[in-house]
């Protein structure tokens, strides 16, 4: 599927969900959720391409694979938390969406500690 196909799928689903929301609100929500899941799982196939390409770059540059795996985890956390928070907001649960985002930001900070430590060690070695 191309970006055009995904965009059309999203817009058509949104229009159908708006029509269903007028009669049965929960059906519109279920339809939106189904569309989001289809797009999300299709996006996962694109993530594998990105991971393979970044791994090739890391081999060329002789980059530490620990830092590469941390970077991939951070991107995954950011993408998944944004997806989940958007679904919660769409369902009218802004507080839950906010808590998902706070937790994901703290998780990213915790996961990135080895990179921050290595950066500080590098800076200290210059002095």
């Amino acid at each position: 599927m191309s970006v055009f196909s995904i965009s059309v799928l999203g817009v058509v689903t949104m229009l159908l969900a708006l029509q269903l929301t007028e009669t049965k609100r929960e059906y519109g929500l279920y339809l939106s959720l189904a569309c989001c899941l289809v797009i999300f799982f299709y996006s996962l196939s694109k993530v594998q391409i990105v991971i393979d390409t970044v791994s090739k770059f890391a081999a060329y540059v002789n980059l530490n694979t620990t830092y590469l795996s941390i970077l991939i985890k951070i991107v995954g956390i950011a993408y998944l938390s944004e997806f989940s928070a958007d679904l919660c907001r769409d369902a009218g649960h802004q507080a839950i969406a906010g808590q998902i985002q706070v937790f994901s930001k703290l998780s990213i900070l915790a996961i990135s500690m080895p990179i921050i430590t290595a950066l500080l060690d590098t800076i200290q070695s210059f002095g």
Side-chain angles (χ1 to χ4, degrees):
M1 274 191 188
S2 68
V3 174
F4 179 77
S5 301
I6 292 294
S7 299
V8 168
L9 174 67
V11 170
V12 168
T13 303
M14 182 262 315
L15 292 172
L16 288 172
L18 283 175
Q19 292 297 320
L20 287 174
T21 301
E22 292 176 6
T23 57
K24 291 276 191 174
R25 184 179 188 276
E26 62 273 7
Y27 291 157
L29 182 63
Y30 297 149
L31 184 62
S32 294
L33 179 63
C35 178
C36 289
L37 289 174
V38 166
I39 294 171
F40 178 75
F41 286 118
Y42 182 73
S43 299
L44 290 179
S45 67
K46 301 295 184 186
V47 170
Q48 186 61 44
I49 295 168
V50 172
I51 290 172
D52 292 341
T53 304
V54 170
S55 297
K56 287 179 185 176
F57 289 157
Y60 291 139
V61 180
N62 197 15
L63 182 67
N64 189 344
T65 57
T66 303
Y67 301 138
L68 181 63
S69 67
I70 290 171
L71 177 66
I72 290 171
K73 287 177 186 177
I74 288 171
V75 170
I77 290 170
Y79 184 67
L80 186 60
S81 65
E82 187 70 22
F83 175 77
S84 302
D86 285 345
L87 285 177
C88 290
R89 267 191 218 92
D90 194 36
H93 298 281
Q94 282 78 13
I96 296 171
Q99 292 305 310
I100 289 171
Q101 288 184 321
V102 167
F103 181 77
S104 65
K105 288 173 186 175
L106 290 172
S107 296
I108 288 171
L109 184 61
I111 288 174
S112 66
M113 282 301 141
I115 295 174
I116 294 170
T117 304
L119 179 63
L120 290 175
D121 289 343
T122 303
I123 291 171
Q124 188 177 20
S125 71
F126 290 141

